Amino acid sequence: MPASPRIVAIAGSVALAVALPACGDDDGDERSAEAAASTPDATALLDYLPADPSEIALADLAAAREELGLPADADASEIEGSDAQADLGAAAGSVIAYLSLPRPRPIQDAIDHGAITATAGNLTRGGRGITAIATPQPLDHIAQLLVTEGYERRGDVLESDSSFVEGSYSVVADAGEGVIVLGFKRGTVERAIEDPPGAENPARPLIDAVPGVTRRALVTDDLDCIEGIGIGQAATLESGEIRIELAQDASVDRFRLPDALTLPEFEFGKPDVDGGTLAADVEVDPQSGLLNGPISLLGSDLATSEIYSC
């Protein structure tokens, strides 16, 4: 009997880098609020993601800071200090690839993570990988450090040998209007900027449908009757919503996650069904040690039968 399809775990779920905590003051908060108003929101950044692969994520860092009671310029690369600061770092690290690497890379020092208001990416390390960040930080400021670390600048694009940056982004480009696009291949980054794919990614409607400051969505043909899964969560990482799109009418009785013995950290509310869609609230035990909240479900090794009985 063939093995049941499983959700593939993804690398890079939480930031491990250590940086100086943001101090923040009234003037800094005012400047950051102005920056947030002048940069695109997180969902607009999804426009830069290619149609494939169809697993995407976003983090609204401006909203996360506000929800967590942090200064508007709190450093999103920092995970040490208060629980709120750790939660902010986890939100950023769930999208920005280099924040999950075991040691800082030059790009992490070059980018001002207190200025980033939002980020979105397709969670891919390689040729098709794209991450977009909303920031008022000029490319000139980023380039000042990166050109001393092996990156070459040609116009609005910085590029380095991908082997040199060891898994971090080898291409950094200015898309204009407060957006910096990060990637691994120059051609992929240039296409994302010159001809943004927009809503072509099949996971886009699903990630738009779930609420939360951090969201992740996956559309796949490998999960039997499950066509897609979207999860959104609060900045505190303790609550969220899971949304399952099915190739058949949804049934509450077929929802299996509450009974999965491998998920003692999660508690699910009563599901709502609407045609082929099932949605349920989800809470995470704050003592469980999970660093990424409900979106951890999309990085787990769950069998389809543990999610929904097709």
Side-chain angles (χ1 to χ4, degrees):
M1 185 173 181
S4 179
R6 310 185 78 84
I7 296 178
V8 178
I10 65 168
S13 59
V14 66
L16 297 176
V18 176
L20 292 175
C23 297
D25 53 34
D26 291 342
D27 291 340
D29 287 352
E30 184 176 344
R31 289 192 300 270
S32 297
E34 291 173 354
S38 64
T39 53
D41 63 24
T43 55
L45 296 178
L46 296 169
D47 287 348
Y48 294 92
L49 307 186
D52 181 55
S54 56
E55 182 170 9
I56 58 179
L58 67 80
D60 186 337
L61 300 180
R65 293 182 182 99
E66 182 176 359
E67 190 174 314
L68 293 167
L70 292 170
D73 60 350
D75 186 350
S77 69
E78 173 63 62
I79 62 169
E80 294 194 345
S82 66
D83 289 343
Q85 183 62 58
D87 290 343
L88 177 64
S94 68
V95 181
I96 302 173
Y98 58 76
L99 292 179
S100 65
L101 297 174
R103 60 181 176 81
R105 300 302 197 267
I107 192 172
Q108 184 168 335
D109 294 327
I111 291 178
D112 180 358
H113 297 84
I116 298 175
T117 57
T119 181
N122 61 8
L123 307 175
T124 298
R125 295 183 182 181
R128 296 177 298 174
I130 287 289
T131 300
I133 61 174
T135 176
Q137 184 183 16
L139 184 69
D140 288 346
H141 291 183
I142 298 172
Q144 286 176 4
L145 176 62
L146 291 186
V147 294
T148 68
E149 296 288 347
Y151 285 77
E152 294 184 3
R153 181 171 185 177
R154 296 179 183 175
D156 289 334
V157 180
L158 294 157
E159 187 173 11
S160 171
D161 182 349
S162 60
S163 63
F164 171 79
V165 292
E166 301 174 352
S168 185
Y169 302 103
S170 52
V171 182
V172 180
D174 188 351
E177 299 182 345
V179 177
I180 299 292
V181 176
L182 314 174
F184 301 89
K185 294 292 184 182
R186 186 184 184 102
T188 304
V189 172
E190 288 178 339
R191 285 192 296 274
I193 293 173
E194 294 169 3
D195 186 22
E200 294 177 11
N201 193 293
R204 177 69 181 268
L206 194 49
I207 204 170
D208 283 337
V210 291
V213 298
T214 308
R215 309 179 211 169
R216 186 177 295 175
L218 166 70
V219 170
T220 178
D221 296 326
D222 297 330
L223 293 176
D224 293 340
C225 68
I226 298 176
E227 295 183 334
I229 301 174
I231 302 175
Q233 65 189 27
T236 59
L237 313 183
E238 295 178 8
S239 62
E241 177 183 302
I242 182 169
R243 187 179 184 92
I244 302 174
E245 299 288 348
L246 301 156
Q248 60 192 41
D249 285 343
S251 169
V252 172
D253 295 335
R254 293 178 179 270
F255 184 47
R256 292 290 178 261
L257 278 176
D259 302 320
L261 298 179
T262 57
L263 298 173
E265 305 92 347
F266 296 90
E267 181 176 337
F268 297 89
K270 182 179 179 180
D272 292 322
V273 298
D274 182 9
T277 301
L278 182 147
D281 292 335
V282 54
E283 294 186 358
V284 176
D285 180 356
Q287 305 302 317
S288 66
L290 285 175
L291 298 180
N292 265 356
I295 64 171
S296 301
L297 289 166
L298 277 181
S300 64
D301 195 27
L302 287 171
T304 306
S305 60
E306 294 176 290
I307 302 170
Y308 188 89
S309 176
C310 292

